[in-house]
Amino acid sequence: WDSDIALKSYTWARHAPRSVMGALCEIHYELSDWFVENNPGFFCLHCAGVRFGDGVVIFPSDQRAGKSVLSMQFAERGHELFGDDVVAIEPSSLHAYALGLLPRLRVPFPENLGSGFSAFVAARPGPENHQYRYVGLRSEEHAPLGRTAPIKGFVLLERIASGPANFEPISQGETLARLIRKNFATNMPVTHIFERLKNLTGAAQRWRLRYSDGDSAIAALRERFGA
């Protein structure tokens, strides 16, 4: 493990991992940083990505908006997961580019996901501890490192207490601002970042989705982007 920006020497000297899961959590984000360092020109977005037919929908949502759990519910229903937390953007085509990292969910899961979701995750065991669990998705459920697909749209997720799922169009400016904040590949000129992300957001659909439960959100997204 070699990373110039890691706090490995500091954290491991005081709190060394005591399990496989502990070590994995330490290096989880370092793998994304390694990709950025070794693939100049790529964007790397803190977001989730799910394939809908011939393209990918990106969810550049804030923490606790439910993007990881929702993306796993899509995998349960047959959609290919491009990433539950990080998706790269290929520089020449501006297509979504999968990093191949398995999804990691917080535990315990929300109680309203149903027995089908629990059975799906249980059949795909991965390392876990009291805080996180990796889900060992099968090859047809999870895009491997290097798979690409066009970006169909950007959807900002917003949880609400109750009510049906509903879409609201959002401006290119709001979408662009969100992507700039979510991009952690900053080893390129600022003007380059702005212009490429501007082109990307101008060519894709842009929506805010307010939802109270995963089933209604999935139904609304599949109706809009295709199953």
Side-chain angles (χ1 to χ4, degrees):
W1 171 18
D2 182 15
S3 174
D4 293 335
I5 66 173
L7 296 176
K8 174 179 55 177
S9 59
Y10 175 83
T11 57
W12 281 38
R14 290 160 176 76
H15 305 286
R18 298 179 180 273
S19 66
V20 170
M21 186 61 178
L24 288 174
C25 286
E26 289 283 345
I27 67 172
H28 183 94
Y29 292 110
E30 300 302 333
L31 292 173
S32 300
D33 291 328
W34 171 88
F35 179 85
V36 169
E37 291 174 4
N38 287 272
N39 294 274
F42 276 72
F43 293 105
C44 223
L45 304 178
H46 178 48
C47 64
V50 176
R51 182 187 284 275
F52 288 77
D54 59 353
V56 172
V57 173
I58 299 293
F59 301 97
S61 299
D62 292 328
Q63 192 174 20
R64 304 293 188 179
K67 65 182 184 301
S68 291
V69 171
L70 188 63
S71 60
M72 188 58 54
Q73 289 180 282
F74 272 112
E76 178 194 357
R77 289 161 171 79
H79 291 256
E80 184 181 47
L81 182 67
F82 256 64
D84 74 311
D85 194 54
V86 175
V87 177
I89 306 296
E90 200 276 331
S92 58
S93 66
L94 296 183
H95 285 184
Y97 183 102
L99 296 190
L101 296 174
L102 286 177
R104 185 181 66 174
L105 302 180
R106 290 183 180 273
V107 293
F109 305 139
E111 296 180 355
N112 62 351
L113 297 180
S115 58
F117 181 85
S118 298
F120 177 84
V121 173
R124 294 155 178 79
E128 62 180 307
N129 61 13
H130 66 283
Q131 188 176 9
Y132 294 108
R133 176 172 182 173
Y134 281 95
V135 182
L137 291 179
R138 297 162 186 170
S139 59
E140 68 274 13
E141 300 165 342
H142 184 242
L145 172 65
R147 178 164 292 171
T148 64
I151 295 177
K152 278 189 169 184
F154 296 95
V155 177
L156 308 188
L157 300 174
E158 185 175 313
R159 299 294 295 269
I160 57 177
S162 61
N166 64 89
F167 283 99
E168 171 189 286
I170 57 176
S171 68
Q172 182 181 5
E174 181 177 357
T175 310
L176 178 59
R178 179 67 64 93
L179 292 186
I180 289 174
R181 292 198 301 270
K182 294 298 181 180
N183 170 51
F184 56 89
T186 56
N187 55 354
M188 62 186 84
V190 172
T191 53
H192 178 82
I193 294 174
F194 180 83
E195 289 298 330
R196 299 303 294 276
L197 292 180
K198 180 182 177 183
N199 292 338
L200 182 60
T201 55
Q205 297 186 48
R206 305 177 301 271
W207 301 95
R208 176 179 287 103
L209 175 63
R210 295 186 173 94
Y211 73 104
S212 58
D213 66 275
D215 288 339
S216 64
I218 288 170
L221 285 161
R222 294 179 84 169
E223 181 178 358
R224 183 163 298 280
F225 292 104

